[in-house]
Structure formats: C-alpha cells, structure tokens
Amino acid sequence: MNRAVPAAFAVLGVLLGAVTRLASVAPALVPDPAPGPPSAVVFLFGTVTFLLSTVAVAGLGYWANRHVAMPEQFARFAVTVGVAGGVGFVVGGMAVLATVPISMDGIWATVVFGLGYNAVTKSVSVGLYALAGAAVAHFRGPANARR
C-alpha cells in the first residue's frame, strides 16, 4: 500500500475530528438569541460533518483503489485507513479542545472518554466507508467492465 493512502485518511480524520468538536462546542461559542431549534451554525457543522464522514471518506476510498492491490489487501486496507482516520480524529478533536475558550474544569475525564469512544467508532466507519468506495472503484475498473 502506498504511504500516501493512510496519510490522506489521517488528514481527513484531523479535519473530521476538528469539525466534530467544533460542532459540539458551537452552542457555547455562538449564542443563539432565539429559543427553539438549533441555530444555523449547528446545522452547518452537522452537514459538513456528514459530508466529510460519508461522502469524502468514500471518495477518498475510491481514489485509494489505484494505490492498493484491493483484492489481496482489502482487510489490511480497511484496518489501516480506519486506524489512520481514528488517530487523525483524536488529533483534530484535541486541537480544538486545547484552543477553544471554554472552561473544561472538572469534566476532562468525560471529554477524553467521549473523544476516545468517538474515535473508535469513527475508525470503524472510516474503514468501512473507505472500503466501500475502494470496492466500487475496483469493480468499475477496466478489468471488470462488461463487454
């Protein structure tokens, strides 16, 4: 497997972790003057998180198919990019938590547990969505085209 593949998923994981953490602290950073449904900022972060965690991961998996011998390495590919995405997710999330101007006194254990749990679940979803994108690219390839 080309080293650029896990690096690309790690960078995407950093971006995804940062956006996810920003979405979780957005209500404290951007006060919403009207009671009721969530603000447009929270909706925007949710939309970006969805697009990054599904469409971008599958698209990156589609791209990665060119750099991986997919039929022979599908399990290794899914685990490697899943772990790279999960580690990147932790780095991005911690970077946001370290720079956000919100007091975390007394809740660090909860925040770290939540970030760790989310990183594990994100690792699984990144691995599976990337594998799905790579599988689509593999089966759409010229060797498998209908004649």
Side-chain angles (χ1 to χ4, degrees):
M1 179 181 324
N2 188 334
R3 291 182 184 189
V5 173
F9 280 95
V11 169
L12 182 60
V14 169
L15 184 61
L16 184 57
V19 170
T20 301
R21 280 309 116 218
L22 281 172
S24 68
V25 298
L29 296 175
V30 181
D32 193 6
S39 69
V41 173
V42 174
F43 177 76
L44 176 68
F45 277 121
T47 302
V48 171
T49 301
F50 167 75
L51 291 174
L52 285 174
S53 65
T54 55
V55 177
V57 170
L60 199 55
Y62 191 93
W63 163 83
N65 178 63
R66 292 183 283 155
H67 304 286
V68 178
M70 193 46 64
E72 295 84 25
Q73 296 183 356
F74 74 93
R76 181 175 175 233
F77 170 76
V79 169
T80 302
V81 301
V83 169
V87 169
F89 184 86
V90 168
V91 170
M94 288 303 285
V96 168
L97 290 176
T99 59
V100 72
I102 296 175
S103 175
M104 303 269 180
D105 293 338
I107 62 168
W108 270 107
T110 304
V111 169
V112 169
F113 175 78
L115 186 60
Y117 174 79
N118 287 334
V120 169
T121 60
K122 197 55 66 182
S123 291
V124 172
S125 67
V126 165
L128 291 176
Y129 280 124
L131 183 60
V136 168
H138 174 73
F139 288 112
R140 290 187 66 184
N144 296 314
R146 291 185 176 168
R147 298 186 201 286

